Amino acid sequence: MNSHLSEHIPRIISLFPSLADMTEQDWSRDGIKVIYLEPNYTIKEGRFLEYAFLILDGTVRMYKISPGGREITLYRIHSGECCPLMTSCILGETEYEATAHVETAGSALAIPVDIFRDWTDRYRIFRQFILTSLARRIISMSSLLDSINFKSIRGRISEFLIQRVGHCGNSDTLHITHESLSVELGTAREVISRSLKELEKEEIITLSRGKITIRDRKALERYVE
């Protein structure tokens, strides 16, 4: 086992307890390494992957691009997580079905795909981790499809604002542009801007350059329902 990898193993196992059963021989196999995730690095849809990545820190945004070039965010991967689309493509030996974009710099454990498949076959707990991750994302993807198909754009905006502000601690202000919000929701910028201005007229939110502040959370929640 190379010394660079060995110094990371305690932290890797703390983030991914399902790897605790791996032997020194498993860790010593060629190609396993910890890599730095550079900001804005992108893995594009349609590639056959050479590595599976387990995120140690940083944030990776997963998205799809329509034939017309419009983006929609599927989900984000954070510390202690892996991308279920990635794992399903590796195990199924198919092309990557989404685009991955590093939003926040960090690091990841890179496992060559043949080793990843072997570990998934041999270690029940690791296999269970992969299947559980996949099941959770299926649920979140189902919620995304329900939102797109059954909620108004105002309801989708309201839901997004409440969820994202909830990740910002006690702040009611989200730093995001209309363009970025349109990418998150896969909707034209003009539609987003018009809906936001309507919410502002109702005194539910306040708009300023690159910022949206929630003024009336209960009113916003009613649009989600």
Side-chain angles (χ1 to χ4, degrees):
M1 185 192 315
N2 68 68
S3 58
H4 175 70
L5 176 61
S6 63
E7 67 187 32
H8 290 283
I9 287 179
R11 180 164 179 261
I12 291 170
I13 292 176
S14 72
L15 292 170
F16 298 93
S18 60
L19 294 176
D21 290 341
M22 304 301 167
T23 66
E24 184 174 345
Q25 183 178 6
D26 286 320
W27 289 113
S28 297
R29 296 174 67 174
D30 289 341
I32 303 172
K33 56 189 175 182
V34 171
I35 63 168
Y36 175 67
L37 298 177
E38 297 183 1
N40 299 318
Y41 176 74
T42 299
I43 299 176
K44 293 187 177 181
E45 182 175 357
R47 288 179 52 180
F48 282 94
L49 301 176
E50 297 179 1
Y51 291 89
F53 299 99
L54 306 186
I55 305 301
L56 304 180
D57 46 64
T59 303
V60 180
R61 181 173 75 97
M62 309 301 304
Y63 63 93
K64 293 279 286 185
I65 303 176
S66 73
R70 183 173 295 168
E71 294 181 14
I72 183 168
T73 298
L74 301 177
Y75 50 81
R76 286 175 169 81
I77 304 297
H78 304 282
S79 174
E81 296 179 334
C82 66
C83 173
L85 282 177
M86 172 200 69
T87 58
S88 65
C89 291
I90 290 173
L91 296 176
E93 299 186 40
T94 59
E95 297 175 351
Y96 201 24
E97 297 178 357
T99 296
H101 176 83
V102 177
E103 281 191 328
T104 306
S107 59
L109 175 66
I111 308 169
V113 294
D114 58 333
I115 298 175
F116 181 82
R117 293 188 190 111
D118 179 53
W119 287 4
T120 304
D121 287 340
R122 289 196 294 120
Y123 291 102
R124 182 186 61 82
I125 295 177
F126 184 62
R127 181 169 61 251
Q128 187 63 43
F129 164 72
I130 298 301
L131 294 175
T132 300
S133 298
L134 181 59
R136 287 173 179 167
R137 291 302 177 184
I138 288 174
I139 292 171
S140 68
M141 293 292 291
S142 176
S143 297
L144 175 62
L145 290 174
D146 285 346
S147 178
I148 292 171
N149 290 321
F150 303 120
K151 289 183 180 177
S152 66
I153 186 60
R154 190 176 295 192
R156 294 181 62 205
I157 290 172
S158 300
E159 183 176 49
F160 178 85
L161 293 178
I162 290 169
Q163 289 177 347
R164 290 297 296 271
V165 165
H167 294 154
C168 299
N170 296 322
S171 174
D172 284 325
T173 297
L174 181 64
H175 294 267
I176 191 170
T177 64
H178 294 197
E179 180 67 31
S180 296
L181 185 51
S182 72
V183 169
E184 292 289 335
L185 300 181
T187 303
R189 183 188 183 282
E190 295 77 13
V191 174
I192 294 293
S193 296
R194 183 167 61 249
S195 298
L196 288 173
K197 288 174 182 176
E198 290 171 354
L199 289 170
E200 186 175 44
K201 285 180 182 178
E202 296 174 24
E203 299 184 347
I204 295 175
I205 63 172
T206 299
L207 302 175
S208 55
R209 189 173 182 83
K211 293 192 298 184
I212 303 172
T213 300
I214 297 176
R215 297 178 60 185
D216 189 340
R217 182 181 290 265
K218 289 185 178 179
L220 204 61
E221 289 173 347
R222 284 196 290 272
Y223 279 117
V224 176
E225 297 170 0

PDB file of all heavy atoms in Angstrom, residues 78-96:
ATOM      1  N   HIS A  78     -22.155  14.993  -1.536  1.00  0.00           N
ATOM      2  CA  HIS A  78     -21.339  15.640  -0.507  1.00  0.00           C
ATOM      3  C   HIS A  78     -20.429  14.614   0.173  1.00  0.00           C
ATOM      4  O   HIS A  78     -20.406  13.440  -0.206  1.00  0.00           O
ATOM      5  CB  HIS A  78     -22.247  16.309   0.532  1.00  0.00           C
ATOM      6  CG  HIS A  78     -23.225  17.293  -0.033  1.00  0.00           C
ATOM      7  ND1 HIS A  78     -22.876  18.561  -0.412  1.00  0.00           N
ATOM      8  CD2 HIS A  78     -24.544  17.161  -0.309  1.00  0.00           C
ATOM      9  CE1 HIS A  78     -23.934  19.207  -0.879  1.00  0.00           C
ATOM     10  NE2 HIS A  78     -24.963  18.369  -0.831  1.00  0.00           N
ATOM     11  N   SER A  79     -19.711  15.078   1.184  1.00  0.00           N
ATOM     12  CA  SER A  79     -18.801  14.225   1.950  1.00  0.00           C
ATOM     13  C   SER A  79     -19.521  12.984   2.465  1.00  0.00           C
ATOM     14  O   SER A  79     -20.627  13.063   3.008  1.00  0.00           O
ATOM     15  CB  SER A  79     -18.226  15.038   3.114  1.00  0.00           C
ATOM     16  OG  SER A  79     -17.448  14.226   3.957  1.00  0.00           O
ATOM     17  N   GLY A  80     -18.898  11.814   2.276  1.00  0.00           N
ATOM     18  CA  GLY A  80     -19.473  10.567   2.752  1.00  0.00           C
ATOM     19  C   GLY A  80     -20.485   9.952   1.805  1.00  0.00           C
ATOM     20  O   GLY A  80     -21.189   9.007   2.188  1.00  0.00           O
ATOM     21  N   GLU A  81     -20.549  10.473   0.564  1.00  0.00           N
ATOM     22  CA  GLU A  81     -21.531   9.964  -0.391  1.00  0.00           C
ATOM     23  C   GLU A  81     -20.852   9.553  -1.699  1.00  0.00           C
ATOM     24  O   GLU A  81     -19.719   9.932  -1.978  1.00  0.00           O
ATOM     25  CB  GLU A  81     -22.587  11.034  -0.694  1.00  0.00           C
ATOM     26  CG  GLU A  81     -23.423  11.430   0.504  1.00  0.00           C
ATOM     27  CD  GLU A  81     -24.435  12.511   0.172  1.00  0.00           C
ATOM     28  OE1 GLU A  81     -24.205  13.286  -0.781  1.00  0.00           O
ATOM     29  OE2 GLU A  81     -25.462  12.572   0.877  1.00  0.00           O
ATOM     30  N   CYS A  82     -21.571   8.782  -2.490  1.00  0.00           N
ATOM     31  CA  CYS A  82     -21.146   8.458  -3.847  1.00  0.00           C
ATOM     32  C   CYS A  82     -22.333   8.682  -4.764  1.00  0.00           C
ATOM     33  O   CYS A  82     -23.473   8.768  -4.312  1.00  0.00           O
ATOM     34  CB  CYS A  82     -20.632   7.025  -3.953  1.00  0.00           C
ATOM     35  SG  CYS A  82     -21.895   5.774  -3.660  1.00  0.00           S
ATOM     36  N   CYS A  83     -22.066   8.764  -6.045  1.00  0.00           N
ATOM     37  CA  CYS A  83     -23.127   9.012  -7.015  1.00  0.00           C
ATOM     38  C   CYS A  83     -23.757   7.687  -7.438  1.00  0.00           C
ATOM     39  O   CYS A  83     -23.082   6.838  -8.023  1.00  0.00           O
ATOM     40  CB  CYS A  83     -22.566   9.749  -8.226  1.00  0.00           C
ATOM     41  SG  CYS A  83     -23.767   9.910  -9.577  1.00  0.00           S
ATOM     42  N   PRO A  84     -25.056   7.482  -7.178  1.00  0.00           N
ATOM     43  CA  PRO A  84     -25.688   6.214  -7.552  1.00  0.00           C
ATOM     44  C   PRO A  84     -25.773   6.011  -9.066  1.00  0.00           C
ATOM     45  O   PRO A  84     -25.735   4.871  -9.532  1.00  0.00           O
ATOM     46  CB  PRO A  84     -27.079   6.315  -6.918  1.00  0.00           C
ATOM     47  CG  PRO A  84     -27.309   7.770  -6.719  1.00  0.00           C
ATOM     48  CD  PRO A  84     -25.972   8.362  -6.441  1.00  0.00           C
ATOM     49  N   LEU A  85     -25.891   7.098  -9.835  1.00  0.00           N
ATOM     50  CA  LEU A  85     -25.866   6.949 -11.285  1.00  0.00           C
ATOM     51  C   LEU A  85     -24.503   6.426 -11.734  1.00  0.00           C
ATOM     52  O   LEU A  85     -24.405   5.600 -12.644  1.00  0.00           O
ATOM     53  CB  LEU A  85     -26.166   8.277 -11.974  1.00  0.00           C
ATOM     54  CG  LEU A  85     -27.636   8.701 -12.030  1.00  0.00           C
ATOM     55  CD1 LEU A  85     -27.760  10.079 -12.668  1.00  0.00           C
ATOM     56  CD2 LEU A  85     -28.469   7.688 -12.808  1.00  0.00           C
ATOM     57  N   MET A  86     -23.461   6.912 -11.064  1.00  0.00           N
ATOM     58  CA  MET A  86     -22.106   6.451 -11.357  1.00  0.00           C
ATOM     59  C   MET A  86     -21.979   4.957 -11.057  1.00  0.00           C
ATOM     60  O   MET A  86     -21.495   4.178 -11.885  1.00  0.00           O
ATOM     61  CB  MET A  86     -21.089   7.238 -10.530  1.00  0.00           C
ATOM     62  CG  MET A  86     -19.653   6.714 -10.606  1.00  0.00           C
ATOM     63  SD  MET A  86     -18.652   7.298  -9.222  1.00  0.00           S
ATOM     64  CE  MET A  86     -19.387   6.394  -7.852  1.00  0.00           C
ATOM     65  N   THR A  87     -22.426   4.555  -9.871  1.00  0.00           N
ATOM     66  CA  THR A  87     -22.272   3.152  -9.481  1.00  0.00           C
ATOM     67  C   THR A  87     -23.104   2.235 -10.366  1.00  0.00           C
ATOM     68  O   THR A  87     -22.660   1.149 -10.738  1.00  0.00           O
ATOM     69  CB  THR A  87     -22.652   2.941  -8.004  1.00  0.00           C
ATOM     70  OG1 THR A  87     -24.007   3.368  -7.786  1.00  0.00           O
ATOM     71  CG2 THR A  87     -21.746   3.746  -7.089  1.00  0.00           C
ATOM     72  N   SER A  88     -24.316   2.666 -10.731  1.00  0.00           N
ATOM     73  CA  SER A  88     -25.154   1.819 -11.582  1.00  0.00           C
ATOM     74  C   SER A  88     -24.553   1.672 -12.978  1.00  0.00           C
ATOM     75  O   SER A  88     -24.619   0.594 -13.581  1.00  0.00           O
ATOM     76  CB  SER A  88     -26.576   2.381 -11.672  1.00  0.00           C
ATOM     77  OG  SER A  88     -26.592   3.641 -12.312  1.00  0.00           O
ATOM     78  N   CYS A  89     -23.935   2.748 -13.491  1.00  0.00           N
ATOM     79  CA  CYS A  89     -23.298   2.668 -14.810  1.00  0.00           C
ATOM     80  C   CYS A  89     -22.068   1.762 -14.773  1.00  0.00           C
ATOM     81  O   CYS A  89     -21.811   1.000 -15.715  1.00  0.00           O
ATOM     82  CB  CYS A  89     -22.910   4.067 -15.298  1.00  0.00           C
ATOM     83  SG  CYS A  89     -24.323   5.115 -15.697  1.00  0.00           S
ATOM     84  N   ILE A  90     -21.309   1.837 -13.687  1.00  0.00           N
ATOM     85  CA  ILE A  90     -20.126   0.989 -13.554  1.00  0.00           C
ATOM     86  C   ILE A  90     -20.529  -0.483 -13.436  1.00  0.00           C
ATOM     87  O   ILE A  90     -19.988  -1.355 -14.133  1.00  0.00           O
ATOM     88  CB  ILE A  90     -19.285   1.421 -12.337  1.00  0.00           C
ATOM     89  CG1 ILE A  90     -18.626   2.779 -12.616  1.00  0.00           C
ATOM     90  CG2 ILE A  90     -18.228   0.371 -12.008  1.00  0.00           C
ATOM     91  CD1 ILE A  90     -17.921   3.377 -11.419  1.00  0.00           C
ATOM     92  N   LEU A  91     -21.485  -0.766 -12.564  1.00  0.00           N
ATOM     93  CA  LEU A  91     -21.902  -2.151 -12.362  1.00  0.00           C
ATOM     94  C   LEU A  91     -22.606  -2.710 -13.593  1.00  0.00           C
ATOM     95  O   LEU A  91     -22.512  -3.902 -13.886  1.00  0.00           O
ATOM     96  CB  LEU A  91     -22.801  -2.251 -11.130  1.00  0.00           C
ATOM     97  CG  LEU A  91     -22.140  -1.887  -9.789  1.00  0.00           C
ATOM     98  CD1 LEU A  91     -23.158  -1.941  -8.660  1.00  0.00           C
ATOM     99  CD2 LEU A  91     -20.959  -2.802  -9.491  1.00  0.00           C
ATOM    100  N   GLY A  92     -23.306  -1.835 -14.318  1.00  0.00           N
ATOM    101  CA  GLY A  92     -24.002  -2.280 -15.517  1.00  0.00           C
ATOM    102  C   GLY A  92     -23.158  -2.178 -16.773  1.00  0.00           C
ATOM    103  O   GLY A  92     -23.605  -2.562 -17.856  1.00  0.00           O
ATOM    104  N   GLU A  93     -21.929  -1.622 -16.613  1.00  0.00           N
ATOM    105  CA  GLU A  93     -20.994  -1.455 -17.733  1.00  0.00           C
ATOM    106  C   GLU A  93     -21.641  -0.667 -18.877  1.00  0.00           C
ATOM    107  O   GLU A  93     -21.596  -1.053 -20.050  1.00  0.00           O
ATOM    108  CB  GLU A  93     -20.486  -2.819 -18.223  1.00  0.00           C
ATOM    109  CG  GLU A  93     -19.744  -3.592 -17.144  1.00  0.00           C
ATOM    110  CD  GLU A  93     -19.117  -4.876 -17.660  1.00  0.00           C
ATOM    111  OE1 GLU A  93     -18.580  -4.859 -18.785  1.00  0.00           O
ATOM    112  OE2 GLU A  93     -19.176  -5.888 -16.944  1.00  0.00           O
ATOM    113  N   THR A  94     -22.250   0.464 -18.515  1.00  0.00           N
ATOM    114  CA  THR A  94     -22.885   1.338 -19.492  1.00  0.00           C
ATOM    115  C   THR A  94     -22.275   2.741 -19.406  1.00  0.00           C
ATOM    116  O   THR A  94     -21.514   3.045 -18.481  1.00  0.00           O
ATOM    117  CB  THR A  94     -24.402   1.436 -19.246  1.00  0.00           C
ATOM    118  OG1 THR A  94     -24.634   1.948 -17.916  1.00  0.00           O
ATOM    119  CG2 THR A  94     -25.063   0.083 -19.377  1.00  0.00           C
ATOM    120  N   GLU A  95     -22.632   3.583 -20.355  1.00  0.00           N
ATOM    121  CA  GLU A  95     -22.139   4.958 -20.361  1.00  0.00           C
ATOM    122  C   GLU A  95     -22.734   5.744 -19.192  1.00  0.00           C
ATOM    123  O   GLU A  95     -23.838   5.463 -18.735  1.00  0.00           O
ATOM    124  CB  GLU A  95     -22.522   5.648 -21.676  1.00  0.00           C
ATOM    125  CG  GLU A  95     -21.908   5.019 -22.909  1.00  0.00           C
ATOM    126  CD  GLU A  95     -22.411   5.655 -24.187  1.00  0.00           C
ATOM    127  OE1 GLU A  95     -23.355   6.472 -24.108  1.00  0.00           O
ATOM    128  OE2 GLU A  95     -21.863   5.353 -25.263  1.00  0.00           O
ATOM    129  N   TYR A  96     -21.974   6.745 -18.747  1.00  0.00           N
ATOM    130  CA  TYR A  96     -22.428   7.623 -17.666  1.00  0.00           C
ATOM    131  C   TYR A  96     -23.651   8.390 -18.141  1.00  0.00           C
ATOM    132  O   TYR A  96     -23.642   8.987 -19.219  1.00  0.00           O
ATOM    133  CB  TYR A  96     -21.301   8.581 -17.296  1.00  0.00           C
ATOM    134  CG  TYR A  96     -21.421   9.196 -15.925  1.00  0.00           C
ATOM    135  CD1 TYR A  96     -22.151   8.597 -14.912  1.00  0.00           C
ATOM    136  CD2 TYR A  96     -20.780  10.404 -15.642  1.00  0.00           C
ATOM    137  CE1 TYR A  96     -22.244   9.158 -13.666  1.00  0.00           C
ATOM    138  CE2 TYR A  96     -20.858  10.977 -14.386  1.00  0.00           C
ATOM    139  CZ  TYR A  96     -21.587  10.359 -13.399  1.00  0.00           C
ATOM    140  OH  TYR A  96     -21.673  10.932 -12.163  1.00  0.00           O
TER     141      TYR A  96
END
